[in-house]
């Protein structure tokens, strides 16, 4: 994967499209995907993030909200797996900019859609276990 691959999706990202998509797919996508998306969303709002990093975040979130991507979201397991891979790739690139405050905001929002045991699964976004694969 190359960072430039995500830039083509920048025009797909809007705040309303993001909130709409995440609220629609939250349970099906799993807490890990939603947490990664929320962390990127709140990181994007930080004034401490470089323009380059904001560009790749917008590209990744645009990829998430795009109706057509490499694996259509309606395909079980794989459909949201590519979205998770993109989000984790970009999240790893910008992880140094992710503050505890951003993580807290993401967890607070996550708590509105998931039970406590599901939230625990999202805490280590860089560990993928078979039961955490989105369905």
């Amino acid at each position: 994967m190359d960072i430039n691959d995500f830039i083509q999706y920048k025009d797909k990202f809007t705040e309303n499209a993001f909130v709409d998509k995440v609220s629609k797919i939250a349970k099906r996508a799993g807490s890990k995907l939603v947490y990664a998306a929320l962390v990127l969303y709140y990181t994007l709002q930080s004034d401490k993030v470089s323009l380059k990093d904001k560009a790749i975040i917008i590209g990744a979130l645009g990829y998430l909200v795009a109706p057509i991507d490499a694996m259509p979201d309606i395909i079980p397991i794989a459909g949201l797996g590519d979205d998770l891979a993109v989000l984790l790739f970009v999240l790893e690139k910008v992880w140094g900019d992710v503050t505890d405050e951003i993580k807290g905001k993401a967890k607070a929002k996550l708590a509105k859609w998931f039970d406590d045991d599901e939230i625990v699964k999202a805490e280590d976004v860089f560990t993928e276990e078979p039961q955490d694969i989105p369905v």
Side-chain angles (χ1 to χ4, degrees):
M1 262 188 259
D2 185 75
I3 291 174
N4 291 327
D5 293 336
F6 307 121
I7 301 303
Q8 66 183 326
Y9 292 97
K10 68 178 174 27
D11 295 331
K12 301 287 184 195
F13 173 77
T14 66
E15 186 172 336
N16 289 339
F18 172 76
V19 171
D20 185 50
K21 176 76 173 215
V22 170
S23 64
K24 284 182 182 176
I25 67 165
K27 285 292 186 180
R28 187 168 59 95
S31 59
K32 190 172 283 200
L33 184 145
V34 175
Y35 180 66
L38 289 169
V39 168
L40 287 174
Y41 175 73
Y42 291 123
T43 301
L44 178 65
Q45 296 174 356
S46 172
D47 59 352
K48 297 177 183 174
V49 179
S50 72
L51 287 176
K52 177 188 168 209
D53 287 347
K54 286 185 177 198
I56 63 171
I57 292 170
I58 289 171
L61 295 177
Y63 185 83
L64 174 66
V65 301
I68 298 175
D69 53 29
M71 297 293 258
D73 294 345
I74 60 170
I75 298 173
I77 299 175
L80 291 170
D82 65 318
D83 294 300
L84 178 60
V86 166
L87 294 175
L88 292 179
F89 177 81
V90 172
L91 188 55
E92 189 171 15
K93 296 286 183 197
V94 302
W95 192 249
D97 293 325
V98 177
T99 64
D100 288 339
E101 179 184 357
I102 289 170
K103 292 175 196 174
K105 283 182 182 179
K107 285 181 184 177
K109 190 68 157 177
L110 204 63
K112 294 181 179 185
W113 292 319
F114 294 95
D115 297 331
D116 290 342
D117 59 326
E118 294 170 306
I119 293 171
V120 170
K121 291 179 186 177
E123 288 181 357
D124 185 0
V125 294
F126 297 115
T127 299
E128 185 66 30
E129 298 178 15
Q131 71 268 19
D132 292 338
I133 296 174
V135 178

